Amino acid sequence: MTCFGLCLGGKASPPHNRVVEIDEEISTIENARVYSYRELRAATEDFCPVNKIGKGGFGSVYKGRLRDGKMAAIKVLSVESKQGVKEFLTEIKVISNIEHENLVKLYGCCAEGDHRILVYNYLENNSLSQTLLGGAHSSLQFSWITRTKICIGVARGLAFLHEEAQPYIVHRDIKASNILLDKDLTPKISDFGLAKLIPADLTHVSTRVAGTLGYLAPEYAMRGQLTRKADVYSFGILLLEIVSGRCNTNKRLPIEEQYLLERVWSCF
């Protein structure tokens, strides 16, 4: 995987040079439109709190209407975001070149000054973590037919990343908050900031461990050797969550019930 020409180790590049590098990298990406900050500010009504539909360690997501009338999810990365310049560019590079029913659609981005913003298609029913696993926070009903549809949809998205994309893509952060749902509850895999591209002639790549605790495959967490199996393990944890309707970790429960995988294991 390319390092996108970034100076990520050793002495940091001056802010101006980093902006130039980001601009140069984005200019080489064919399938992502570059939006102005002014345009996205107008689309979200000056990033009005009423339009905020999500918040996390990366920053905030706003609902907005673009000039062409399309509704969009506008992901604004905060200055303190865990998703740095490298992850920002990785997400654009990876998702702009692929398209699948079960993957989010990237419209474009903004890297104007200190602003780093990603613009995606708007998905009406937010994420699995806020709906199925959010308890009373959602009025959606998840029948077994719907849950099966979601499981199959995520599996199809992963199969595309692992088998059809060239080079193949390991997502590295499959979890409930990264599975978004459209108006028909069709699942879309999102957030490709940690994704790795792996050439077909390699069995694995050695890399720093990244992802979310509770979803990390043990062999990857211990040895740092990344294969597609890391995503398969995370998907298995996600399946348990979808079937049980609870998060894989819940510290409010009695100690013997806090970890879903241990709870399931004890039943066998």
Side-chain angles (χ1 to χ4, degrees):
M1 185 174 182
T2 68
C3 64
F4 302 106
L6 295 175
C7 181
L8 296 173
K11 188 176 181 180
S13 299
H16 173 71
N17 290 349
R18 183 167 9 177
V19 171
V20 171
E21 289 168 353
I22 294 174
D23 289 343
E24 289 176 350
E25 287 297 336
I26 291 176
S27 69
T28 66
I29 300 173
E30 298 179 357
N31 300 320
R33 175 180 171 181
V34 177
Y35 293 90
S36 70
Y37 181 72
R38 181 178 181 180
E39 182 176 355
L40 298 182
R41 185 175 175 180
T44 58
E45 299 176 303
D46 199 13
F47 302 102
C48 177
V50 173
N51 291 322
K52 184 183 288 189
I53 56 176
K55 183 174 177 61
F58 57 83
S60 300
V61 181
Y62 296 85
K63 177 174 67 174
R65 186 176 296 278
L66 303 174
R67 285 179 182 173
D68 60 7
K70 286 182 181 177
M71 294 301 297
I74 299 171
K75 181 179 177 180
V76 182
L77 307 184
S78 67
V79 176
E80 299 82 16
S81 173
K82 296 176 182 177
Q83 185 170 12
V85 173
K86 181 179 179 181
E87 288 81 6
F88 175 71
L89 290 171
T90 297
E91 185 153 3
I92 299 169
K93 192 83 171 181
V94 170
I95 197 65
S96 65
N97 292 321
I98 57 177
E99 190 166 345
H100 187 272
E101 180 187 8
N102 299 113
L103 305 179
V104 292
K105 172 68 175 174
L106 179 71
Y107 290 156
C109 62
C110 171
E112 199 173 292
D114 292 333
H115 303 296
R116 295 200 301 277
I117 304 173
L118 296 165
V119 183
Y120 286 99
N121 59 317
Y122 175 65
L123 298 170
E124 293 83 350
N125 284 310
N126 219 302
S127 70
L128 272 179
S129 65
Q130 292 192 342
T131 51
L132 176 59
L133 307 183
H137 299 296
S138 173
S139 60
L140 292 176
Q141 299 297 314
F142 289 86
S143 65
W144 288 115
I145 292 176
T146 298
R147 295 183 199 216
T148 301
K149 172 186 173 182
I150 292 171
C151 292
I152 292 173
V154 177
R156 285 174 174 163
L158 275 179
F160 176 83
L161 296 175
H162 289 178
E163 299 172 9
E164 296 183 45
Q166 295 295 327
Y168 68 77
I169 299 165
V170 179
H171 186 281
R172 287 209 296 174
D173 204 18
I174 296 296
K175 58 182 179 180
S177 60
N178 286 339
I179 306 301
L180 306 183
L181 304 170
D182 69 7
K183 65 180 186 305
D184 300 317
L185 298 183
T186 299
K188 315 278 185 177
I189 299 173
S190 70
D191 200 340
F192 286 77
L194 297 179
K196 283 286 186 182
L197 307 179
I198 303 182
D201 59 339
L202 295 181
T203 59
H204 69 274
V205 294
S206 295
T207 179
R208 69 176 179 86
V209 176
T212 302
L213 291 177
Y215 294 92
L216 288 174
E219 68 276 10
Y220 171 49
M222 290 187 292
R223 294 193 290 270
Q225 293 186 343
L226 181 68
T227 71
R228 288 170 282 191
K229 293 178 182 178
D231 281 351
V232 175
Y233 179 90
S234 301
F235 176 58
I237 299 297
L238 179 65
L239 289 181
L240 291 178
E241 292 181 315
I242 293 173
V243 170
S244 66
R246 58 154 285 188
C247 297
N248 72 78
T249 303
N250 187 341
K251 295 296 182 67
R252 293 174 296 180
L253 294 174
I255 186 68
E256 67 275 8
E257 299 180 12
Q258 289 182 4
Y259 301 100
L260 180 58
L261 189 58
E262 290 183 4
R263 179 67 173 161
V264 172
W265 182 256
S266 68
C267 294
F268 292 94

